[in-house]
Every structure is written in structure tokens, then in C-alpha cells.
Amino acid sequence: MKEAFRSIFGTQPHGIWAAPGRVNLIGEHTDYNDGFALPIAIPQTTLIAARRRDDGRLRLHSAQGDGPVHDLALADLVPGAVTTWAAYPAGVVWALREAGHSVGGADLHIDSTVPVGAGLSSSAALECAVAFAYNDLYGLGLSAPTLALLAQRAENGFAGVPCGAMDQLASSCCTAGATLHLDIRAGSHEQVPFAPESEGLRLLIVDTRVKHDLGDGAYAALRAGCERAARLLGVAALRDITPADLPAAGRALPAHLVPLVRHIVTENARVADVVAHLRAGRIAAIGPILSEGHASLRDDYRISCAESDLVVDTVLDAGGLGARQTGGGFGGSVIALVAEDRAAAIGASVTRAFRTAGYREPNLFPVSPARGARRIEREVAET
Ligand code: ADP
Ligand code: MG
């Protein structure tokens, strides 16, 4: 990172920061309904080498970006002004300034092992790495959750993606060996230990390597549908509806909103069930709940796709304990909970099924809960 930074910007960085991607165990599309989620950080990480600048310029380079350095003036950072990948890091600087923090420019070099656009939240990893770097470069003293919410603000207000806060909270606040039990309305989070290896289990990620375009407008439409349902039901958010309320809610709502509400309500209940099992040390017992979560995404929220369904069905047929599509939907990645001694065979079954269906080869890898964002190296820069 230091070498690359030097060759791009001709100086030393002030430090290096890291922020991981994430995968959500359960609690999908619940964050923007004031609900609950249970992500882990994954070992795949976005690194940023950064150096403060005092001339009001933000210079951005990414090893995964589109080549040249983006050289932006802070004074020009308004929503809509940046339409490339640079909107994510520039958006964080914009969000900090909007929140009243007097931060200046920087040179940032970015390099990442988080697969981009695979539902593993490379966008939040990028935003959070920038937020943590700026927090130290400018001595802001902000907490990890505060930085996460500023990163979310960057994605909503500057990059124009109406996501909830789960991804950024996961990238910022997760710890190794644990899931992060998020209560979005309360603004609180709790670590729940999760070590599948200790039970002879493995959590696999299957990156389907497809992302259907349908997802672009659908996310905003789903979010609007949830908000409309909450209004019609007279509650602040669907978080306030319990499973016992569902029959009455079903009678009160237009038919097309009923399955949306059912997904959110049952999904929040699934988060609680999974947390209870994990706290009791019953990791294998969460498998069927993950699979129920997938059925709910597929049949009620209707954001699965043929590739994700094929992974889930193949994992279950091959003896996996549970599987579900994770992330925003319409492709991306699937998680599978499997016995360690079955992991290789189940992975091979998935790869074979994809070949038979004529799909691109999926990318399979095991994950364990990793650390959240942090500074990893401190430099004494040359003047
Ligand atoms: P996901 O967050 O699931 O990976 P998104 O579509 O939300 O998918 O975010 C992907 C976008 O984030 C990319 O198209 C790019 O604009 C930006 N991005 C993420 N990581 C990087 C990176 N390392 N370098 C440049 N841009 C990145
Ligand atoms: Mg994203």
C-alpha cells in the first residue's frame, strides 16, 4: 500500500486504514424498517492509504477503479456532482462537512479484496475505510457507530443509493468471532459469539457472480412499499408489527403489500430466534431458520433469482444445514451453513449444478467472523 501510494502521489501516506466487507446471517431488508439484523464482518477488506492535504483538494485513486486519479475540489462536492465510483469516498467527505466537521482534503489510495457488486458490501467497506481514515487524519474523535451513520449518509445523500444502515454498522462495529446483533431503532448493537468451527461447522459464501439489473429500481420500490404499509397500519415502521398482528394487518392492507409486510415481520422474528440459538450454543439449529429466510425472500419479498435458488436448493439437497441469499437481492451471494466434513462435497455439487445449468462458475469460500474497521498502520510522513 505504501509503495503504491508513493508511486501515485509522490509522498508518504500518514497511515493505512482497513474496513471489511460483511455478510448478513439473517435480517434482510429489515434495517430500513427500524428492525433487527445479524451481520458478520468478513476477512475480505478494503485498505486505504491516506495523507492529509491542506489545499482543499481530494485526490482519489483505486486499484479497482477506472485508472486515473480523480482530483476534486472540496468546494465542488455537492450531490450529483460525482457519478463514478469516486462518489463513495467523496460522499464521506461531503457527509462529514455537512455534519459540521471542519475537514479538509486528502490523498487516498484504495485497494480491496472485497468482491465488488457481490452483495458483500464493497461500497460500505470503501465508505467506512474513508470515514475511519478521516476520523484520525483530522482528529475528530467520532465513535465507530457515528462514523457508520455518516458513511450511510454518504451512500444515501451523495451516491444516491437509498440503503439502510446495516452494511456500514457491520463494517464499522463488528468484532472477530461474533455476529453483530443490530437494533436499528434503538441505535444499539451487541456482539453475539459465533464460532461455527467450534461445532464442526462451516459458513460458506457462494458468490453467484450475477447481479440482475432488476435490483436497481426494485430496492427503492420495496422500501417505499414498506413505508406505505407502515403508514396504512398506523405505525412508525414495520418493526412495530408482530407475528400475532399479521392476520389483522393482512385484512387492512392492499393485497400486494401483504407479502412485503409478512417478510419483514417474520424476518425480524427469525433474527430473534437465531440470536436465542446462538446464545444457547445451538449453532446447527439456525440452519433451518436461514432456509426459511430464503423462502421468505423468494416467495414474499420476491428478490431472489434462479441462480440463488439453485445454490440454496443444491446445498440443501447435498446435506447442508441451511442456506439463503444475502444482501440486497437479485443475485449476489448466498450463505450456506454446512458440516465441515461435507463442505468440499457441497461446494462441488454447487459448482456442478451451475455448470449443468449453463451459469458462470460461482466463487465459493468459507468465512469466519472478522474484525471491523480500524487503523492498521501509522506512518511518520515526510514533510
Ligand atoms: P456491493 O456493496 O454489494 O459490493 P454496490 O453496488 O453497493 O455493491 O457497490 C459497488 C460499487 O462500489 C462499485 O460499483 C464501485 O462504484 C464502488 N466500489 C466498491 N469498492 C471499490 C473499490 N475498491 N474501488 C473503487 N470503487 C469501489
Ligand atoms: Mg453496497
Side-chain angles (χ1 to χ4, degrees):
M1 286 301 286
K2 276 186 287 178
E3 277 307 309
F5 186 96
R6 259 197 300 276
S7 77
I8 295 156
F9 295 115
T11 59
Q12 289 269 75
H14 285 127
I16 299 174
W17 288 261
R22 65 94 190 93
V23 77
N24 190 21
L25 221 47
I26 192 79
E28 214 65 82
H29 287 263
T30 43
D31 57 355
Y32 55 79
N33 288 291
D34 268 5
F36 302 90
L38 198 66
I40 62 169
I42 59 175
Q44 287 74 11
T45 296
T46 296
L47 296 179
I48 290 199
R51 182 184 172 91
R52 202 175 46 245
R53 291 180 68 91
D54 299 323
D55 62 355
R57 299 209 75 85
L58 179 63
R59 299 198 298 174
L60 303 165
H61 179 269
S62 169
Q64 289 74 44
D66 49 4
V69 172
H70 289 255
D71 188 347
L72 307 167
L74 293 188
D76 296 341
L77 293 185
V78 290
V82 185
T83 54
T84 62
W85 65 267
Y88 293 88
V92 173
V93 180
W94 168 81
L96 283 165
R97 289 163 66 88
E98 278 273 303
H101 302 290
S102 59
V103 297
D107 286 340
L108 304 178
H109 167 62
I110 296 147
D111 201 353
S112 182
T113 54
V114 185
V116 171
L120 301 174
S121 215
S122 69
S123 59
L126 175 52
E127 293 149 4
C128 292
V130 175
F132 275 67
Y134 255 75
N135 193 40
D136 292 337
L137 286 177
Y138 284 97
L140 302 177
L142 300 173
S143 68
T146 299
L147 292 168
L149 296 179
L150 285 162
Q152 182 207 8
R153 173 103 182 90
E155 187 149 346
N156 291 170
F158 199 86
V161 183
C163 59
M166 171 182 64
D167 298 352
Q168 293 81 7
L169 285 165
S171 184
S172 297
C173 303
C174 278
T175 54
T179 61
L180 190 72
H181 185 202
L182 289 170
D183 179 337
I184 298 290
R185 173 175 288 165
S188 65
H189 59 81
E190 219 180 346
Q191 320 290 344
V192 180
F194 178 60
E197 298 78 11
S198 67
E199 303 283 311
L201 302 175
R202 275 255 180 258
L203 189 68
L204 298 181
I205 290 181
V206 182
D207 172 5
T208 62
R209 300 174 73 203
V210 299
K211 185 78 200 161
H212 295 285
D213 288 344
L214 195 58
D216 291 349
Y219 191 98
L222 289 163
R223 187 171 177 156
C226 289
E227 284 162 4
R228 172 139 184 269
R231 264 195 316 277
L232 291 171
L233 293 169
V235 292
L238 292 183
R239 137 66 169 273
D240 297 311
I241 305 297
T242 67
D245 298 330
L246 277 175
R251 288 189 293 274
L253 291 172
H256 72 283
L257 293 178
V258 173
L260 292 193
V261 173
R262 190 164 53 225
H263 168 73
I264 299 300
V265 171
T266 58
E267 187 77 351
N268 277 325
R270 279 186 285 274
V271 175
D273 289 347
V274 167
V275 168
H277 282 305
L278 293 185
R279 289 208 181 283
R282 296 187 297 260
I283 299 180
I286 76 171
I289 307 175
L290 303 186
S291 303
E292 279 165 30
H294 184 74
S296 181
L297 285 180
R298 183 191 59 211
D299 302 335
D300 277 344
Y301 225 57
R302 309 193 67 154
I303 59 167
S304 190
C305 62
E307 293 86 349
S308 296
D309 291 344
L310 182 60
V311 177
V312 170
D313 292 345
T314 306
V315 166
L316 296 179
D317 286 350
L321 300 174
R324 59 181 286 273
Q325 179 185 267
T326 173
F330 308 103
S333 294
V334 172
I335 52 168
L337 185 68
V338 303
E340 193 159 17
D341 57 6
R342 295 283 304 146
I346 290 172
S349 298
V350 170
T351 303
R352 214 168 29 244
F354 265 49
R355 199 171 302 142
T356 305
Y359 298 153
R360 199 142 75 103
E361 181 145 335
N363 186 17
L364 284 104
F365 50 95
V367 282
S368 302
R371 291 184 60 180
R374 66 211 177 269
R375 185 175 197 157
I376 59 168
E377 197 172 351
R378 195 177 294 267
E379 287 293 302
V380 180
E382 302 153 357
T383 50

